[in-house]
Amino acid sequence: MYKYVKRFLDIVVAAVAVVVLSPLMAIAAIAIKLDSPGPVIFKQDRLGLGGKVFKIYKFRSMCQGAEHTGTGVYSGADDMRVTKVGKFLRATSIDELPQLINIIKGDMSFIGPRPPLTYHPWDISEYTDEQFRMFSVRPGISGWAQINGRKEVEWHERIKLNVWYVDHMSIWLDIKILFTTFLKVIKNDDNVNVGATLANDKTEEKETETV
């Protein structure tokens, strides 16, 4: 029952947020265009509900063509590909605001497992049956794994946290995650990649503006 209430709340709150935050989003878009050449919105394939691929939206925080240069999927604190405006957008999580459109479209929810790339940490065919259960709910802008380490958590553990959320999803848990996320954004906790978060990861990644 809660999943239907959750979807209704997602649509209403996201629609209101788009209206209220539209001036901020417009300023962010203008700043991005003035700061560096390239599109305002960065689009990337992610795995969503049922393992279905969808395009996630973010404000672009890296220079155009960043996927062809640098360290790949992991963007650290001193990544030269991140623009001046992009650093501010990332630090404040303003770069995530376009995902309000993903929520309205039904791709995402405010709270849920963060959607992984289609090829990282591994291909969808390589998820175990237990791991695949994380795709039984809509992915979120924030989630249980994000407030329990976020970018410092190794992927096997991150998926375990995501599956735990699926089994314990409730309005009270979502409220807890929401408020904890808000506090972490204010303090900018766990917002920088500390290195590869996949054990024995030797994969050359191409897409860069990840979670």
Side-chain angles (χ1 to χ4, degrees), residues 26-38:
I27 292 172
I30 293 171
I32 291 169
K33 292 299 292 184
L34 292 176
D35 184 48
S36 64

Side-chain angles (χ1 to χ4, degrees), residues 44-73:
Q44 190 176 58
D45 286 343
R46 297 290 183 99
L47 297 176
L49 183 64
K52 181 180 178 181
V53 178
F54 73 98
K55 293 283 186 182
I56 196 172
Y57 304 136
K58 289 187 176 187
F59 280 126
R60 180 175 58 83
S61 61
M62 284 184 165
C63 61
Q64 190 173 19
E67 66 272 17
H68 302 301
T69 61
T71 57
V73 71

